[in-house]
Amino acid sequence: MTRLACFVLVPLLCLGCGKDEPPATPNAPTASPSPSRTADSPTTADATTKGEPAKGAEPDPVAVIEPEIVPELLTSAEIADGWLSLFDGHSLFGWEPEFHGNWTIVDGVLTSTAEQSPSILATTVPWTDYELRLEFRMEAGGNSGIFLRSAPVPTDPAVDCYELNLCDAHPAFKTGSIVKRAQPIDVATADGGWHTLRAICEGNWIQAWIDDVHVTDFRDESAAPLLSGRIGLQQNGGTIEFRNVKLQPLSLRSLFDGSTLDGWNIVPGGQSQFEVLDGTIHVTNGPGFLETADVFGDFVLQADFQCNGDGLNSGVFFRAMQGTEAAPSHGYEFQLHSGIKDGDPRQPFDAGTGAIFRRAAARRVLSRDREWNTITLNAAGDRFATWVNGYPVVDWRDTRDPDENPRKGRRLDPGHLSLQGHDPTTDVQFRALRVGEHAR
């Protein structure tokens, strides 16, 4: 077997430099993928933002070695249903070691041994309501667990996480229990061989199944149930292995009724046309912006988009100040651009779909023009993670000084979501726009 990676007490590197200045050696495009579009095509957004680097001068992608071809981690049906791969099969992208860390990756399997117990590997962003599925294999007599709705560094499972225990031999909390909170409702084994695990967190209700045995059914009726938090994989004795770790966000509400633009406002002064076409929001011409009436701070956003042309440019702005004719798009931008350089998806043109534009380039371009693509954004405090067609492409922390305008600094306050018409060539459609806010 070929050893792909080894991680020992090394925290995850974040994308982007967190500054407006381009890096010393910018990853700038050398040619436009479309003769009708250039990376520096003027837009209202560019015209109202002084002192920022030109389009195409984003920070270098994260220092994660991307394979030439990535494995198919999700089925097309799972992607359409909003499932996400939390583990890409070859790196710790999107994860951080807590306590000790001796995690290795071989042939798409994430492994930790007993050399440095306990060890917890945690997602870099929290999740609120979701279904989690994974496969695990544990050494006989081992001790492991899945941490749900966890604090960044949990210290007491009775207080700061829900620890779904995997330990057949535990004297007090056997496999399927919620440590210090609830006993299992049925018997399942975690030792030896590969097992499937499914967990659902909805409100104060935690359920879990191991090999289709319903082992956990717990409602936290305390005064302070945990409603949001990170997900952690634990090694607490013996060798533990994980693979096929995936998540589907739940409890998302629709932002578009499929027939009207109720709940949306056209930002004045733009040239884009926004219309409802065949159950989609169809955006043509530009520049221009369509903005939600509601504002969102910490949230998970999912949507489908399709660019009806080659190398077209659009975006979804978030935590944006209310748009005006003079300043239509002062927000963070989730970039939508499927162009690549030299035919290599590891070299995005103009940052790539899933980028936080001007802040963090996509490490890989997974979207395709003239096809429907599913995008996901998890915005949690100063941390932003994105997925394109279920594959993780950005994990970035904004370390800039605070500012109400995300173009100038870190904004934590809620803001509008805004769909972009980029330029006269814009022809993009959106559907299945849905959002779920993180519990506080």
Side-chain angles (χ1 to χ4, degrees), residues 23 81 163 217 366 379 386:
D81 286 340
E163 182 184 351
D217 191 343
L366 275 298
T386 71

Side-chain angles (χ1 to χ4, degrees), residues 58-376:
E58 296 80 27
D60 286 328
V62 71
V64 170
I65 298 175
E66 279 287 285
E68 185 174 354
I69 299 175
V70 299
E72 294 187 6
L73 303 172
L74 298 168
T75 66
S76 58
E78 287 175 322
I79 293 170
D81 286 340
W83 282 90
L84 310 172
S85 289
L86 296 186
F87 170 47
D88 65 16
H90 63 89
S91 76
L92 289 186
F93 189 88
W95 298 85
E96 291 178 328
E98 308 289 356
F99 301 117
H100 301 291
N102 60 332
W103 297 85
T104 60
I105 300 168
V106 179
D107 295 338
V109 176
L110 182 61
T111 303
S112 184
T113 66
E115 296 172 0
Q116 290 179 299
S117 295
S119 177
I120 297 177
L121 195 64
T123 58
T124 59
V125 289
W127 299 93
T128 298
D129 286 359
Y130 57 87
E131 179 173 342
L132 174 71
R133 294 184 181 183
L134 57 82
E135 297 173 50
F136 70 92
R137 180 168 62 182
M138 187 171 65
E139 180 181 348
N143 188 333
S144 180
I146 309 298
F147 283 63
L148 308 172
R149 304 250 182 93
S150 177
V153 182
T155 58
D156 184 353
V159 175
D160 54 16
C161 68
Y162 299 124
E163 182 184 351
L164 177 57
N165 214 24
L166 302 177
C167 183
D168 294 351
H170 198 284
F173 295 99
K174 297 188 184 301
T175 295
S177 62
I178 302 293
V179 175
K180 293 188 177 182
R181 295 177 185 268
Q183 294 295 330
I185 60 173
D186 205 343
V187 178
T189 184
D191 283 351
W194 284 102
H195 302 277
T196 61
L197 183 143
R198 175 180 175 227
I200 297 178
C201 298
E202 290 185 288
N204 70 343
W205 191 13
I206 309 297
Q207 297 187 84
W209 294 257
I210 295 177
D211 298 331
D212 295 326
V213 177
H214 192 188
V215 292
T216 308
D217 191 343
F218 169 63
R219 293 182 185 269
D220 188 347
E221 305 290 355
S222 69
L226 303 174
L227 299 178
S228 184
R230 301 194 192 191
I231 295 169
L233 308 178
Q234 182 200 45
Q235 184 281 119
N236 197 27
T239 298
I240 182 68
E241 298 171 289
F242 296 99
R243 67 185 183 190
N244 297 329
V245 185
K246 51 192 177 183
L247 176 145
Q248 181 188 45
L250 301 177
S251 306
L252 307 185
R253 69 176 178 89
S254 178
L255 293 172
F256 171 51
D257 64 16
S259 57
T260 72
L261 293 180
D262 290 350
W264 296 82
N265 300 310
I266 296 175
V267 175
Q271 300 174 34
S272 297
Q273 300 296 314
F274 299 96
E275 61 178 338
V276 177
L277 177 66
D278 298 329
T280 74
I281 298 177
H282 188 210
V283 188
T284 54
N285 204 2
F289 294 88
L290 181 69
E291 155 184 294
T292 58
D294 293 338
V295 295
F296 305 92
D298 292 351
F299 61 89
V300 173
L301 171 72
Q302 291 195 312
D304 297 342
F305 83 97
Q306 177 174 274
C307 285
N308 301 311
D310 296 329
L312 301 187
N313 193 325
S314 184
V316 179
F317 286 68
F318 61 99
R319 288 195 194 158
M321 302 169 66
Q322 185 169 4
T324 65
E325 185 170 353
S329 60
H330 283 178
Y332 294 99
E333 180 184 357
F334 186 117
Q335 172 76 320
L336 303 179
H337 196 302
S338 301
I340 58 177
K341 295 180 287 182
D342 301 324
D344 187 349
R346 298 169 296 182
Q347 299 185 58
F349 178 90
D350 213 10
T353 297
I356 307 299
F357 192 68
R358 289 196 175 96
R359 309 294 165 223
R363 61 178 176 143
R364 189 179 195 95
V365 177
L366 275 298
S367 62
R368 293 185 178 181
D369 290 325
R370 305 180 190 274
E371 295 182 11
W372 283 105
N373 303 276
T374 299
I375 55 175
T376 303

Side-chain angles (χ1 to χ4, degrees), residues 14-23 49-54 56-62 318 329-335 350-351 354-362 382 384 394-400 403 405-411:
C14 295
L15 283 164
C17 62
K19 299 179 181 179
D20 282 339
E21 296 79 10
T49 306
K50 305 297 184 181
E52 289 201 331
E58 296 80 27
D60 286 328
V62 71
F318 61 99
S329 60
H330 283 178
Y332 294 99
E333 180 184 357
F334 186 117
Q335 172 76 320
D350 213 10
I356 307 299
F357 192 68
R358 289 196 175 96
R359 309 294 165 223
D382 61 6
F384 307 97
V394 159
D395 178 32
W396 175 66
R397 184 181 179 192
D398 191 349
T399 59
R400 297 174 299 163
D403 197 288
N405 182 355
R407 290 180 175 271
K408 298 179 179 179
R410 181 178 70 250
R411 179 185 174 114

Side-chain angles (χ1 to χ4, degrees), residues 413-429:
D413 290 338
H416 299 273
L417 301 172
S418 186
L419 308 181
Q420 181 191 43
H422 184 272
D423 60 73
T425 71
T426 296
D427 187 346
V428 61
Q429 290 170 269

